[in-house]
Amino acid sequence: MIDDDSTIADGGEPTEPAKPRPPYSERPIARARQAKAQELIERLVAEGRVRIADPDDGEVAEWRRVVNYAKHHGLEPAGKRIEKVPYGGPGLELFLAEGPHPNARSQRLKAAGGPVPVPARLGHLHPVVAALKDDESRLVMPSALRRRSLLLLQGLAAEAVRRGFEVRRVRSSFSPREGGVDVAVDGFAYTVSARQEFPESTNPERSARLVLQSEFVS
């Protein structure tokens, strides 16, 4: 008789019970990202600004994940927030700004809400989205993903106009793999951009993933 959770297969020795998968926070990738986020906060507090010159697409994506980790896990110093702005073309500049993120002042937009409808075809485009569609140097990705990106941006642009906000061409610098629109809300400008999350991946599921991101710009 066996008085634990082991089982006997084919009359052999008891097998070890499967070990539960550790929570995300204890996995190596999460620990590495936490360490990077904590190091970033320490540098921002000590140096004021951190500049990343000439990063490749993978480095940009990883820095964004590190910043998001810091934001979502309460690592930002009290009364401050991390902001990102373009630096020298494809580069990034990170700094600590005073006060809560302007998104916190616009929580009423969530209440206005419900899901944003996404069009099924690229017709009757907002002029900014139409210009982005015609600009072959932006949203450089497989055609199916580019079409999805444009449909998502058109849905957001149409909804922004419906709510009385201004949609305009972006002032931020993008890598060729990205593209987006600026939306002005209550005197603040936000850039909504789309990009392929894993452009170098050979895994069809990963390479088909898109990321939409909203950033405060002014």
Side-chain angles (χ1 to χ4, degrees), residues 21-96:
R21 193 176 187 186
Y24 175 77
S25 61
E26 295 180 11
R27 296 177 198 170
I29 189 170
R31 289 180 176 178
R33 194 153 293 152
Q34 179 185 38
K36 287 182 181 179
Q38 289 173 333
E39 180 184 1
L40 172 62
I41 294 297
E42 290 170 3
R43 288 186 61 188
L44 289 173
V45 170
E47 303 170 24
R49 292 174 182 267
V50 172
R51 289 172 174 168
I52 303 101
D54 270 342
D56 59 30
D57 290 338
E59 290 175 301
V60 171
E62 178 60 18
W63 276 109
R64 284 174 169 162
R65 294 186 188 108
V66 168
V67 169
N68 287 339
Y69 186 99
K71 289 176 178 288
H72 295 159
H73 290 80
L75 300 182
E76 294 168 300
K80 294 184 182 293
R81 67 182 189 275
I82 303 174
E83 287 291 358
K84 306 187 294 290
V85 294
Y87 171 70
L92 289 175
E93 181 175 289
L94 312 175
F95 62 95
L96 289 175

Side-chain angles (χ1 to χ4, degrees), residues 1-217:
M1 179 176 180
I2 299 171
D3 60 0
D4 59 18
D5 292 331
S6 303
T7 59
I8 297 179
D10 299 326
E13 294 296 321
T15 59
E16 290 293 328
K19 295 182 180 179
R21 193 176 187 186
Y24 175 77
S25 61
E26 295 180 11
R27 296 177 198 170
I29 189 170
R31 289 180 176 178
R33 194 153 293 152
Q34 179 185 38
K36 287 182 181 179
Q38 289 173 333
E39 180 184 1
L40 172 62
I41 294 297
E42 290 170 3
R43 288 186 61 188
L44 289 173
V45 170
E47 303 170 24
R49 292 174 182 267
V50 172
R51 289 172 174 168
I52 303 101
D54 270 342
D56 59 30
D57 290 338
E59 290 175 301
V60 171
E62 178 60 18
W63 276 109
R64 284 174 169 162
R65 294 186 188 108
V66 168
V67 169
N68 287 339
Y69 186 99
K71 289 176 178 288
H72 295 159
H73 290 80
L75 300 182
E76 294 168 300
K80 294 184 182 293
R81 67 182 189 275
I82 303 174
E83 287 291 358
K84 306 187 294 290
V85 294
Y87 171 70
L92 289 175
E93 181 175 289
L94 312 175
F95 62 95
L96 289 175
E98 297 288 340
H101 195 283
N103 279 345
R105 305 172 199 169
S106 302
Q107 292 299 312
R108 64 180 180 80
L109 295 180
K110 295 182 179 179
V116 174
V118 177
R121 62 186 185 87
L122 292 172
H124 306 291
L125 297 178
H126 186 283
V128 174
V129 179
L132 183 60
K133 176 177 178 289
D134 294 338
D135 186 350
E136 296 182 356
S137 68
R138 292 284 175 254
L139 291 173
V140 178
M141 60 181 72
S143 58
L145 286 185
R146 192 174 198 272
R147 183 175 184 276
R148 279 174 52 201
S149 298
L150 291 166
L151 289 170
L152 290 167
L153 291 171
Q154 172 59 26
L156 289 167
E159 182 66 12
V161 170
R162 187 187 72 81
R163 298 188 188 186
F165 306 134
E166 180 186 3
V167 177
R168 55 200 186 200
R169 293 190 66 176
V170 295
R171 293 183 294 164
S172 304
S173 298
F174 285 132
S175 79
R177 296 184 189 274
E178 296 180 89
V181 300
D182 276 3
V183 180
V185 180
D186 294 343
F188 297 99
Y190 302 82
T191 294
V192 181
S193 61
R195 61 183 172 85
Q196 186 179 10
E197 186 172 15
F198 300 108
E200 307 299 333
S201 177
T202 57
N203 181 308
E205 183 178 342
R206 284 170 62 84
S207 65
R209 288 169 62 175
L210 288 173
V211 173
L212 281 184
Q213 182 163 325
S214 173
E215 295 187 48
F216 173 69
V217 292

